[in-house]
Amino acid sequence: MKTRNKIKVIQSKEGETFDIELDQDLLKRNVQLAQENKKIFEKTHILAIDILGSIGSGKTSLIENILTRLKERKVGVIAGDLTTTIDAERIKKVGARIVQVNTGKECHLDANLIRHALDEFDLEAIDLVFIENVGNLICPGEFPLGAHKRVIVISVTEGPYMIVKHPYIFHDAAVVVINKIDLAEAMEVDLNRLEADALRVNPRTKVIRTNCRTGQGVEEVIETLNL
Ligand code: MG
Ligand code: ZN
């Protein structure tokens, strides 16, 4: 029997999609380099934190907000972006050392790029590194960079399905930041539902609601990350 409204779903199987990012050697090499980066962080007593999220979710705003409250820490920021230095300029203004990594056409940072970025810092002079990835929530999940903790920033302006549509990337998130909560009502986004989605995908994560325009919730992010 044919039902008109039944949706046909084609499931792509591993190896069927033409995707360079599934190249196993490349992924393995990246994991090795990520481990080397982690060793560098450990040797130089640096805490490294990944910041992931879509374009416009508030990654840079969150970093700015944290930096203005952490005047005593010596912070370095690695800002990934396809082509611009907009975020780097903003972060420079709050007084952090900053290295911009322009990935060109690549939609994610990889461990090798981070390794090169680290060469640009005086690692003895910093004790905290934020790595702001390129703005998307898909392939950065495949490329660990060597950081100790992952923060994922989503905003209510992205609608109610950000977590259920990108479940894998949330598995390793120490913190899920739900940003722009002041717009939740206008966007008709249920914050409790979003929080429940995050905890269902990753029961160990901590969900924090923020408004990076006012700074609401930022202290809680700082405490949760032990900064
Ligand atoms: Mg940004
Ligand atoms: Zn990518």
Side-chain angles (χ1 to χ4, degrees):
M1 191 178 71
K2 278 189 183 162
T3 14
R4 267 218 171 144
N5 296 327
K6 188 134 200 267
I7 297 169
K8 183 158 172 58
V9 178
I10 297 174
Q11 213 80 41
S12 82
K13 298 185 192 76
E14 188 136 352
E16 269 188 354
T17 46
F18 296 107
D19 188 347
I20 194 163
E21 280 154 22
L22 288 176
D23 184 323
Q24 291 304 314
D25 286 342
L26 189 143
L27 292 178
K28 237 187 256 168
R29 181 81 188 116
N30 184 77
V31 168
Q32 282 167 0
L33 287 168
Q35 282 160 355
E36 284 170 30
N37 288 344
K38 193 167 221 166
K39 274 186 205 143
I40 293 173
F41 290 133
E42 253 128 53
K43 216 173 89 189
T44 50
H45 309 287
I46 289 172
L47 175 66
I49 296 175
D50 272 336
I51 311 281
L52 301 182
S54 310
I55 293 174
S57 57
K59 300 182 294 301
T60 312
S61 299
L62 178 68
I63 295 171
E64 281 176 310
N65 267 280
I66 291 173
L67 291 180
T68 54
R69 289 165 176 77
L70 285 184
K71 289 289 182 205
E72 69 288 355
R73 298 283 309 242
K74 295 167 289 178
V75 187
V77 178
I78 299 170
D81 196 286
L82 298 185
T83 55
T84 79
T85 57
I86 296 166
D87 293 352
E89 302 293 340
R90 285 168 61 187
I91 285 164
K92 212 169 80 184
K93 279 196 194 123
V94 266
R97 295 159 182 83
I98 172 100
V99 172
Q100 172 79 43
V101 179
N102 282 109
T103 57
K105 286 182 181 162
E106 286 298 331
C107 44
H108 56 269
L109 292 173
D110 63 37
N112 190 40
L113 287 168
I114 298 305
R115 178 65 233 270
H116 289 304
L118 291 177
D119 286 341
E120 303 297 319
F121 288 106
D122 174 5
L123 294 178
E124 302 299 329
I126 52 179
D127 56 19
L128 176 61
V129 165
F130 289 105
I131 304 170
E132 180 180 343
N133 215 308
V134 178
N136 86 71
L137 278 184
I138 302 173
C139 43
E142 302 255 20
F143 290 85
L145 304 175
H148 301 98
K149 292 176 185 174
R150 170 176 288 176
V151 176
I152 301 184
V153 185
I154 61 171
S155 75
V156 301
T157 53
E158 296 168 299
Y161 304 119
M162 283 306 285
I163 296 163
V164 290
K165 287 195 176 188
H166 304 87
Y168 303 113
I169 205 153
F170 289 88
H171 287 172
D172 300 324
V175 175
V176 175
V177 168
I178 303 175
N179 192 28
K180 307 188 190 179
I181 52 168
D182 54 316
L183 301 176
E185 216 180 295
M187 293 301 299
E188 295 180 8
V189 168
D190 179 346
L191 292 171
N192 292 331
R193 176 106 185 252
L194 217 44
E195 177 158 353
D197 286 345
L199 292 171
R200 194 165 45 242
V201 171
N202 179 358
R204 288 153 289 124
T205 200
K206 167 90 178 165
V207 181
I208 301 173
R209 302 174 187 193
T210 65
N211 175 355
C212 284
R213 271 193 296 203
T214 61
Q216 183 186 353
V218 174
E219 287 292 347
E220 200 183 344
V221 176
I222 291 171
E223 278 165 34
T224 305
L225 293 170
N226 286 318
L227 304 180

